[in-house]
């Protein structure tokens, strides 16, 4: 689905379909009224039937003629001014209904409807992101195409001449974010026999060539030389070699400290010797969604040419129970020098991340955010709506929360008090890699906090938000919108 802006159409809309907002259950907006006038009041007449429910996202199809054969009247909700949620529902309802029509192109005036505290740019971005989300398919591994072709293929968003510059930029920005989300979803959906650490590294290098980024991939020997004993311990049970992927984007002066994103890249998590139960184990191919999301964010940032410096670090391995695999009770030395008793080989994410959090210090970053499908406990705590946010830094936490709310990819701050650190005590090593059942997502974050030294740090646990289970199983692309929005704000501030 392609989106573009153009200056207002003044009733002379030419398209397979027009998406027109209806506010307060009954009223057309200015652009809608102009189209209605050009078609003899047939839209107002259709509304008077009462056939359009006021619930946001309800639609009523009206047949017109000539250059505009049909219109979808789209309910924006009961009140005159909507909120983020009702606008989102309206856009989703409208684009889904339009997708059922034979129209190849559409013109949308949904952004004429008022949304509390949101400007036109926000409403345009929301339409692009939702449209691209709905149009997404992952069918490269099917030999027969099963789904309907994407409709509408093109969506025009008319805006006032005075707003055309801002609007075009907002649509381009949202397109870049959607491209990043799409890359993240593709990588997440690709199964473990395709998407190995080597495949992730090759994908990163390819993106680096495309966008002029600096790329470096460390292999096991180089990790050995750096004493990354924790990361290496996770890869031992697999025939797939581990990789540490580093991408650097320089959009600001060399003197400006970079922001670093670290993403968990377990391309399949069997649990290792602490083997997972069989039920839904296939979903552990998504255990590299943190990695995929930081790569997708890098793509969006590079495409937007943001004026920031960004480093992306992806520790990647496959967690398997081979003959050389780590065993419960094994003790490994991390790159930081701290030793870890591996009580459960299924708590492998923190083991690869801890060495990446130490490694990233060499870039002298001001801020480091790690992103990981880290704990099942986070899914129990927050379900599938908010990502878990952990940070000792109130200002950074607030920035991330605000970015998430702005773009509809939210996170919820969890506690990270020192009291929880107690649970990681080990009689044999500096710490254990698990802290027992209580507060499992918090003790995982506590573990990481012991390595996140020398910079401001936040951790996003995306175990509940990175993918959907069930009939519509698949990667969501989260938290690419949240991270990109955060970086956009940093670039402007
Ligand atoms: N990748 C999993 C976390 C996970 C589980 C994400 C389910 C999404 C859905 C992680 O490596 C893991 O296995 N964590 C363990 C930690 C435990 C052994 C302390 C978990 O959550 O059970
Ligand atoms: Mn695991
Ligand atoms: Zn895992």
């Amino acid at each position: 689905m392609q989106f573009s802006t153009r200056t207002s159409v003044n009733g002379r809309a030419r398209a397979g379909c027009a998406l027109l907002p209806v506010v307060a259950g009954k009223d057309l907006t200015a652009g809608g009224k102009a189209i209605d006038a050009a078609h003899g009041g047939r839209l107002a007449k259709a509304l008077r039937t009462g056939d359009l429910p006021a619930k946001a996202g309800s639609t009523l199809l009206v047949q017109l003629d000539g250059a505009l054969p049909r219109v979808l009247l789209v309910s924006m909700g009961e009140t005159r001014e909507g909120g983020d949620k009702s606008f989102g529902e309206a856009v989703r309802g409208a684009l889904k209904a339009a997708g059922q029509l034979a129209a190849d192109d559409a013109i949308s005036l949904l952004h004429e409807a008022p949304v509390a505290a949101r400007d036109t740019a926000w409403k345009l971005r929301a339409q692009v992101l939702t449209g691209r989300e709905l149009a997404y398919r992952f069918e490269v591994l099917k030999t027969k195409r099963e789904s309907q072709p994407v409709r509408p293929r093109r969506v025009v968003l008319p805006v006032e001449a005075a707003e055309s510059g801002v609007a075009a930029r907002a649509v381009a920005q949202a397109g870049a974010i959607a491209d990043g989300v799409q890359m993240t979803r593709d990588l997440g959906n690709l199964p473990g026999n395709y998407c190995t650490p080597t495949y992730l590294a090759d994908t990163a290098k390819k993106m680096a060539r495309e966008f002029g980024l600096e790329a470096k991939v460390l292999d096991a020997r180089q990790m050995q030389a750096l004493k990354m004993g924790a990361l290496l311990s996770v890869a031992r049970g697999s025939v797939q070699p581990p990789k540490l992927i580093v991408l650097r984007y320089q959009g600001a002066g060399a003197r400006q400290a970079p922001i670093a994103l670290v993403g968990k890249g377990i391309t399949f998590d069997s649990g290792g010797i602490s083997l997972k139960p069989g039920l839904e184990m296939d979903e552990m191919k998504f255990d590299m969604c943190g990695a995929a999301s930081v790569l997708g964010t890098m793509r969006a940032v590079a495409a937007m040419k943001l004026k920031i410096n960004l480093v992306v670090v992806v520790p990647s391995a496959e967690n398997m129970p081979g003959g050389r695999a780590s065993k419960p009770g094994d003790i490994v030395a991390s790159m930081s020098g701290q030793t870890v008793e591996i009580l459960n080989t299924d708590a492998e994410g923190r083991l690869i991340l801890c060495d990446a959090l130490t490694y990233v210090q060499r870039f002298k970053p001001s801020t480091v955010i790690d992103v990981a499908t880290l704990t099942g406990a986070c899914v129990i705590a927050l379900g599938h709506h908010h990502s878990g946010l952990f940070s000792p830094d109130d200002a950074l936490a607030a920035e991330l929360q605000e970015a998430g709310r702005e773009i509809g990819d939210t996170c919820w701050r969890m506690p990270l008090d020192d009291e929880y650190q107690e649970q990681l005590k080990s009689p044999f090593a500096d710490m254990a890699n698990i802290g027992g059942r209580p507060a499992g997502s918090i003790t995982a974050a506590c573990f990481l906090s012991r390595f996140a030294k020398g910079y401001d740090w936040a951790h996003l646990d995306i175990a509940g938000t990175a993918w959907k289970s069930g009939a519509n199983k698949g990667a969501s692309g989260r938290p690419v919108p949240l991270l990109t929005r955060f970086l956009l704000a940093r670039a402007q501030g």
Side-chain angles (χ1 to χ4, degrees), residues 264 269 276 284 287 344 346 348 373-376 434 463 467:
K264 172 179 173 183
D269 181 12
K276 285 183 180 295
M284 284 302 122
D287 213 18
N344 189 321
D346 198 10
E348 84 298 339
T373 50
L374 201 62
T375 64
I434 56 171
W467 76 87

Side-chain angles (χ1 to χ4, degrees), residues 74-126:
V74 182
S75 205
M76 306 306 289
E78 273 127 55
T79 53
R80 185 143 298 281
E81 189 176 65
D84 291 9
K85 195 158 162 272
S86 60
F87 188 77
E89 284 161 359
V91 170
R92 191 169 291 273
L95 289 172
K96 273 192 173 166
Q100 299 305 307
L101 305 171
D104 242 7
D105 66 327
I107 188 159
S108 169
L109 297 183
L110 295 182
H111 44 284
E112 284 195 354
V115 177
R118 299 302 188 195
D119 57 11
T120 305
W122 185 91
K123 289 183 272 188
L124 298 176
R125 276 199 302 269

Side-chain angles (χ1 to χ4, degrees), residues 44 56 61 66 68 133 162 175 179 199 202 247 256 273 323 370 460 470 476:
L61 181 65
L68 186 62
E133 182 200 320
D179 288 343
Y199 181 91
D202 291 346
L247 289 180
Q256 187 173 318
I273 296 297
D370 78 75
L460 288 168
S476 65

